[in-house]
């Protein structure tokens, strides 16, 4: 392992573009990019000054100048791409959702663990400063007994049937693209739900347009989430306890601010975010920290929880009747 951990980027789409911008802005080393063709890899490499451009994902995985790979392909390709990289001895940071379903997630994590490699879900929100501080507030006990979590991720996205977001064969739909955020947030704050109820509406392509969930917990707490790809909502989140609450501002899953209120509705704490870039580098920092420490799992987004969240998504899909063609 080099003293500076060297990134390879698998995929050249929009999210890869955003990620690399943050990596370079914050001093991370990006040494290679891989795409399905040289014609796609070369412009991406030129745009960011990346020295090595590969015409295939396999070539990227075999590159000796790469230590870890960011998997930024469409959802149904995550498992295969990650396993290929892991088999080549590379650590992986895999875009959310980690895989298409829990069975795939188990396979990826098992391979990573067998080879003592990091396989981290790129749930960037968990690593943002405001979320780190939200967890500190919850752990302090100032909210009292937690009663509820409420969060939405609702956007008015393209309706074009050919768009990836509306294509079932690409894992499109509100749940995997948007719902993963509030559902992961509920897990982060309240842990594993005791019961799950879900309902949904669908587009003509068969992709889910809106998904609402109700989680109940052994403690008596509840979590409400709403994800939608056809309507723009408030995109705020709230954690409510017997002695106070946290209100996270719009857009709650991006770098933002929050306030803590006591039971008398008085503001007792406020956090304002001030970061460089978009904030995607924090998940990169965690990946590198684990690698350099010789660890394969951390506390913020452990692989065991990633698998458990994928099981939750599987249950939701079973209840709303959503199945992907590759399953």
């Amino acid at each position: 392992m080099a003293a500076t951990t060297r990134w390879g980027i698998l995929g050249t789409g929009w999210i890869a573009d955003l990620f690399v911008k943050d990596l370079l802005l914050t001093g991370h080393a990006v040494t290679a990019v891989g795409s399905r063709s040289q014609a796609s890899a070369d412009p991406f490499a030129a745009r960011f000054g990346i020295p090595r451009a590969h015409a295939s994902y396999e070539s990227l995985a075999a590159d000796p100048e790469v230590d870890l790979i960011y998997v930024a392909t469409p959802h149904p390709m995550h498992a295969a791409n990650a396993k290929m990289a892991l088999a080549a001895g590379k650590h992986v940071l895999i875009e959310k959702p980690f895989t298409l379903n829990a069975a795939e997630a188990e396979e990826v994590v098992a391979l990573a663990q067998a080879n003592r490699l990091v396989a981290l879900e790129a749930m960037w929100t968990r690593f943002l400063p405001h979320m780190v501080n939200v967890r500190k507030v919850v752990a302090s006990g100032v909210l009292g007994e937690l009663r509820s979590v409420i969060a939405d991720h609702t956007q008015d996205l393209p309706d074009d049937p050919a768009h990836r977001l509306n294509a079932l064969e690409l894992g499109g739909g509100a749940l995997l693209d948007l719902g993963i955020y509030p559902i992961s947030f509920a897990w982060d704050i309240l842990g594993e739900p005791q019961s799950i109820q879900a309902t949904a509406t669908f587009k003509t392509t068969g992709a889910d347009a809106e998904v609402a969930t109700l989680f109940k917990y052994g403690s008596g707490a509840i979590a409400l989430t709403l994800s939608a790809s056809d309507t723009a909502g408030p995109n705020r989140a709230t954690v409510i306890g017997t002695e106070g609450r946290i209100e996270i501002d719009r857009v709650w899953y991006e770098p933002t601010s929050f306030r803590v209120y006591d039971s008398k509705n008085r503001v007792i704490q406020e956090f304002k975010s001030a970061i460089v870039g978009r904030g995607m580098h924090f998940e990169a920092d965690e990946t590198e920290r684990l690698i350099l420490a010789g660890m394969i799992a951390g506390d913020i987004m452990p692989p065991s929880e990633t698998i458990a969240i994928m099981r939750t998504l599987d249950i939701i899909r079973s209840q709303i009747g959503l199945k992907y063609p590759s399953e």
Side-chain angles (χ1 to χ4, degrees):
M1 180 67 62
T4 299
T5 312
R6 301 164 299 182
W7 286 87
I9 308 301
L10 196 153
T12 56
W14 171 76
I15 196 68
D17 192 285
L18 293 176
F19 184 68
V20 171
K21 285 178 182 175
D22 271 5
L23 286 186
L24 298 179
L25 189 63
T26 53
H28 295 268
V30 182
T31 57
V33 60
S35 187
R36 289 176 294 181
S37 70
Q38 201 71 54
S40 177
D42 284 343
F44 191 95
R47 186 159 68 252
F48 294 110
I50 300 172
R52 303 159 78 88
H54 295 278
S56 71
Y57 301 147
E58 292 79 8
S59 178
L60 173 69
D63 191 333
E65 298 299 315
V66 170
D67 301 310
L68 69 160
I69 289 177
Y70 171 65
V71 177
T73 47
H75 311 332
M77 300 172 66
H78 286 182
N81 294 155
K83 287 190 290 185
M84 177 191 64
L86 290 165
K90 312 300 186 187
H91 305 275
V92 289
L93 175 65
I94 307 169
E95 254 311 322
K96 69 220 154 305
F98 192 71
T99 52
L100 205 59
N101 53 48
E104 289 184 350
E106 289 171 350
E107 291 176 2
V108 171
V109 170
L111 182 58
Q113 292 178 341
N115 289 281
R116 293 296 301 173
L117 294 167
V118 172
L120 181 66
E121 181 181 359
M123 176 47 71
W124 70 300
T125 299
R126 287 210 180 189
F127 303 95
L128 295 174
H130 74 285
M131 282 298 174
V132 172
N133 282 276
V134 163
R135 287 192 292 270
K136 288 179 179 178
V137 171
V138 170
S140 75
V142 71
L143 301 182
E145 184 179 343
L146 297 185
R147 292 298 195 199
S148 56
V149 168
I150 305 168
D152 78 305
H153 189 173
T154 47
Q155 298 188 43
D156 188 7
L157 300 174
D159 290 323
D160 180 2
H163 195 285
R164 180 193 67 78
L165 288 165
N166 303 312
L168 274 185
E169 65 273 15
L170 295 177
L175 183 64
L176 292 193
D177 270 277
L178 308 177
I180 181 69
Y181 283 87
I183 289 168
S184 185
F185 178 57
W187 262 88
D188 194 13
I189 301 300
L190 294 174
E192 182 175 10
Q194 189 176 69
S195 68
I196 299 168
Q197 292 177 270
T199 187
T201 61
F202 293 85
K203 294 187 175 183
T204 56
T205 63
D208 48 306
E210 290 186 281
V211 180
T213 69
L214 169 64
F215 299 163
K216 296 186 71 175
Y217 298 83
S219 66
I222 61 172
L224 300 170
T225 82
L226 175 66
S227 56
S229 62
D230 60 355
T231 52
N235 290 307
R236 292 189 173 93
T238 307
V239 179
I240 304 172
T242 53
E243 301 299 325
R245 71 185 187 276
I246 303 171
E247 292 188 1
I248 309 176
D249 293 329
R250 174 181 175 87
V251 174
W252 71 266
Y253 46 83
E254 297 180 358
T256 191
S257 54
F258 70 80
R259 285 163 306 285
V260 183
Y261 294 82
D262 65 14
S263 58
K264 304 296 185 182
N265 208 39
R266 296 173 298 201
V267 175
I268 57 174
Q269 186 176 335
E270 188 168 6
F271 177 86
K272 293 186 178 180
S273 184
I275 67 166
V276 173
R278 190 168 186 260
M280 297 183 77
H281 60 282
F282 291 109
E283 62 188 3
D285 292 344
E286 173 67 1
T287 312
E288 293 186 14
R289 183 189 71 82
L290 293 173
I291 292 170
L292 295 174
M295 301 168 62
I296 61 171
D299 296 330
I300 296 177
M301 193 74 254
S304 58
E305 188 165 324
T306 287
I307 293 171
I309 291 171
M310 292 308 305
R311 290 197 192 105
T312 297
L313 296 177
D314 286 354
I315 292 170
I316 292 168
R317 289 199 295 117
S318 176
Q319 290 187 8
I320 65 177
L322 177 59
K323 189 173 183 179
Y324 302 111
S326 62
E327 294 182 304

